[in-house]
Amino acid sequence: MTLIKSISGIRGTIGGEVGENLTPIDIVKFTIAYTRFIASKNNAKRLRIVVGRDARLSGEMVGNIIEGTLLGCGVDVINVGLCTTPGTEMAVITHKADGGIIITASHNPKQWNALKLLNEKGEFLNDKEGKQVLALAEQEDFLFPEIDAIGKVVLREDFNPTHIQQVLALRLVDVEKVKARKFKVVVDAVNSIGGVVIPALLRELGCEVIELNCEPNGHFAHNPEPIPQNLTEITEVVRREGADLGVVVDPDVDRLALVNEDGTMFGEEYTLVAVADYILSREKGNTVSNLSSSRALSDVTVAHGGEYSASAVGEVNVTTKMKEVGAIIGGEGNGGVIYPELHYGRDALVGVALFLTHLAEQGVTMTELRKRYPAYFASKNKIELTPAIDVDKVLRTIKERYAAERVNDIDGVKIDFAESWVHLRKSNTEPIIRIYTEAKSVEEADALAEKFIAEIKEIAGL
């Protein structure tokens, strides 16, 4: 069982020992610490915090503890209930709140949950701010308010319809053009909040929707990470139903994977690539993705006359880089689309609406659109961490061995070869080392991954 404190929030498995897992006591401790951090930025102002959650089994329990703790700290709460991560972010912005807590472990299995912490802009805390929260969690001198100063729930609302309308109102979302195509779409929302929100968005866009795993009961029908090996059911349904495409989201709906009309995967790396191609065809600008993302985004950006930049992995790192270079579109190769015109956060609803506008405008099938982009193939692997593995030593040794190549060490070690690359890094969300590779063929990407997995094991003495 595990408790991970990182740039991606406070994440852990439910139950077990205090301090080693995400227990009720740990939830209270980190909620108080977050409250203290937000209060330190607002002097004596009475705080207002948004709380939202995905549909995982522990969500209601965790949410009740957080709400009660916030009230006991003298904070007023806007509770948006079952809500996507991007929807909760937009609720902070829309209600001009002082921050927000999203209760979700994103793509992690059902035993996990997490507190993702937002600032007043509806954006994740940066590394420095996150460390301040962790430091405050170790202090025990907090003075709680007396009865007349406790907080209250000022609003309980379903924010999802508002978020959908905010997406549909975007300049580059052409609702009528999408409606004219009458797309038939299969949706796999892995039994979380996406099962409510994505079908509703698609129907607003005039699509015929076939729902698969859309009941938000938290009993994930398959491993919730939207990668090909977990998506065999939807590929079969897309083919059987003669659908135009399939749409897959993770439990908190910030990642978007797409399925072609023939049941093959469009490729989660290419969700952002296709959306960026559309945005850049309408206005000139720059793009950003993280080091683990496909070279295809760089290729498409340069073709449109823009500049591409890479950031460390982690949404806040991507958005920081986007602001630095003035990027008009960005995200992560895991299917996360960040479109600043709405907000600085990965948003699968934005991804769906912009992608369908692009597909409708081009008048082609999914497979035809995919063929227009540079052909790269990724292999995504991982090694479970044990006390015997010295990650720093492993990465340091790999970096030294490949010093003659183009090496980037802002986040783990990325080695760029002429026709391929490998990125090795310790995960922010799981106790693993991630090994991502990309090459001109599946076989080459897999072979490169196997080579580096063997080197890691050799260095670690496994």
Side-chain angles (χ1 to χ4, degrees):
M1 307 297 273
T2 309
L3 184 66
I4 299 174
K5 297 169 277 190
S6 76
I7 195 170
S8 296
I10 313 302
R11 183 179 301 233
T13 45
I14 297 296
E17 187 178 346
V18 173
E20 300 296 325
N21 310 273
L22 192 63
T23 69
I25 291 175
D26 293 291
I27 294 164
V28 169
K29 181 172 78 169
F30 289 111
T31 301
I32 293 171
Y34 170 70
T35 301
R36 297 183 71 176
F37 169 75
I38 295 296
S40 71
K41 299 171 60 180
N42 289 274
N43 299 319
K45 176 187 173 186
R46 188 175 178 93
L47 302 178
R48 182 173 290 200
I49 301 294
V50 173
V51 178
R53 67 178 179 90
D54 69 14
R56 62 184 58 233
L57 297 174
S58 60
E60 185 175 8
M61 178 271 287
V62 176
N64 287 340
I65 293 172
I66 289 173
E67 181 180 292
T69 303
L70 289 172
L71 299 181
C73 290
V75 176
D76 290 339
V77 173
I78 297 171
N79 196 318
V80 293
L82 281 175
C83 193
T84 67
T85 281
T88 306
E89 293 167 351
M90 286 303 302
V92 172
I93 298 168
T94 302
H95 290 296
K96 297 181 173 58
D98 300 295
I101 299 177
I102 309 168
I103 305 159
T104 175
S106 192
H107 62 274
N108 289 66
K110 68 178 183 179
Q111 66 268 32
W112 290 79
N113 215 329
L115 283 66
K116 292 187 175 182
L117 309 176
L118 305 175
N119 62 20
E120 76 284 357
K121 298 178 181 177
E123 300 169 17
F124 291 124
L125 303 187
N126 61 34
D127 184 56
K128 179 182 177 183
E129 292 168 333
K131 287 175 179 173
Q132 288 179 253
V133 173
L134 296 182
L136 288 167
E138 300 307 313
Q139 299 178 14
E140 299 181 354
D141 59 345
F142 187 60
L143 185 65
F144 291 92
E146 296 181 2
I147 187 62
D148 291 330
I150 64 172
K152 60 181 181 292
V153 178
V154 295
L155 180 65
R156 292 191 192 279
E157 69 166 343
D158 177 2
F159 190 80
N160 296 308
T162 301
H163 183 206
I164 289 171
Q165 292 307 313
Q166 289 170 330
V167 170
L168 295 174
L170 288 168
R171 281 185 307 118
L172 295 185
V173 172
D174 193 327
V175 175
E176 296 308 313
K177 191 167 286 183
V178 176
K179 283 182 175 180
R181 280 292 300 269
K182 298 180 179 178
F183 290 117
K184 185 176 185 180
V185 187
V186 181
V187 176
D188 182 349
V190 73
N191 303 108
S192 191
I193 183 57
V196 175
V197 177
I198 297 298
L201 171 68
L202 289 169
R203 290 185 176 111
E204 290 278 355
L205 289 165
C207 300
E208 177 186 347
V209 180
I210 299 169
E211 297 184 10
L212 183 65
N213 306 319
C214 282
E215 183 182 356
N217 57 25
H219 292 284
F220 301 150
H222 54 77
N223 185 306
E225 187 164 16
I227 54 179
Q229 55 263 44
N230 300 329
L231 305 178
T232 54
E233 186 180 11
I234 189 172
T235 60
E236 294 171 2
V237 175
V238 167
R239 284 194 298 266
R240 185 177 71 236
E241 297 291 338
D244 295 292
L245 70 153
V247 169
V248 184
V249 292
D250 61 341
D252 68 326
V253 202
D254 59 1
R255 291 173 60 174
L256 171 63
L258 301 165
V259 181
N260 298 329
E261 79 284 355
D262 62 356
T264 59
M265 300 303 299
F266 191 78
E268 62 173 349
E269 291 285 344
Y270 285 82
T271 300
L272 174 58
V273 173
V275 171
D277 182 34
Y278 170 58
I279 298 297
L280 295 170
S281 73
R282 294 304 186 91
E283 52 191 73
K284 298 297 182 185
N286 302 326
T287 67
V288 171
S289 64
N290 67 41
L291 286 171
S292 285
S293 301
S294 176
R295 278 184 184 174
L297 180 62
S298 175
D299 293 351
V300 166
T301 304
V302 171
H304 282 291
E307 294 184 6
Y308 166 80
S309 300
S311 77
V313 174
E315 183 173 311
V316 68
N317 294 321
V318 177
T319 57
T320 299
K321 192 69 174 180
M322 289 178 70
K323 293 173 184 178
E324 180 185 316
V325 302
I328 60 173
I329 185 72
E332 299 189 286
N334 59 14
V337 174
I338 301 172
Y339 187 44
E341 183 149 321
L342 185 62
H343 68 127
Y344 277 102
R346 292 180 301 171
D347 192 327
L349 282 78
V350 168
V352 167
L354 291 172
F355 182 87
L356 288 182
T357 300
H358 183 41
L359 187 63
E361 187 174 82
Q362 294 301 307
V364 296
T365 64
M366 292 285 288
T367 51
E368 289 169 335
L369 182 64
R370 178 63 178 80
K371 288 175 183 175
R372 295 182 178 182
Y373 299 121
Y376 295 111
F377 298 88
S379 180
K380 299 184 178 184
N381 300 273
K382 59 188 177 184
I383 295 176
E384 299 287 338
L385 286 177
T386 69
I389 300 178
D390 183 341
V391 179
D392 292 334
K393 177 187 174 184
V394 168
L395 296 178
R396 184 170 62 250
T397 304
I398 292 288
K399 179 182 174 183
E400 291 168 357
R401 285 184 181 181
Y402 292 89
E405 305 291 343
R406 285 189 297 154
V407 177
N408 187 320
D409 63 356
I410 65 170
D411 184 9
V413 175
K414 182 175 184 179
I415 306 164
D416 270 294
F417 303 103
E419 297 292 326
S420 61
W421 56 259
V422 60
H423 188 201
L424 314 173
R425 59 181 290 274
K426 185 176 179 180
S427 173
N428 290 327
T429 59
E430 298 176 73
I432 59 176
I433 296 176
R434 296 192 185 276
I435 304 99
Y436 285 4
T437 59
E438 185 176 72
K440 290 289 189 176
S441 72
V442 174
E443 294 74 18
E444 290 174 291
D446 286 341
L448 188 61
E450 289 170 9
K451 167 182 164 60
F452 276 90
I453 288 171
E455 288 200 37
I456 290 170
K457 291 181 176 179
E458 174 252 313
I459 296 166
L462 300 178

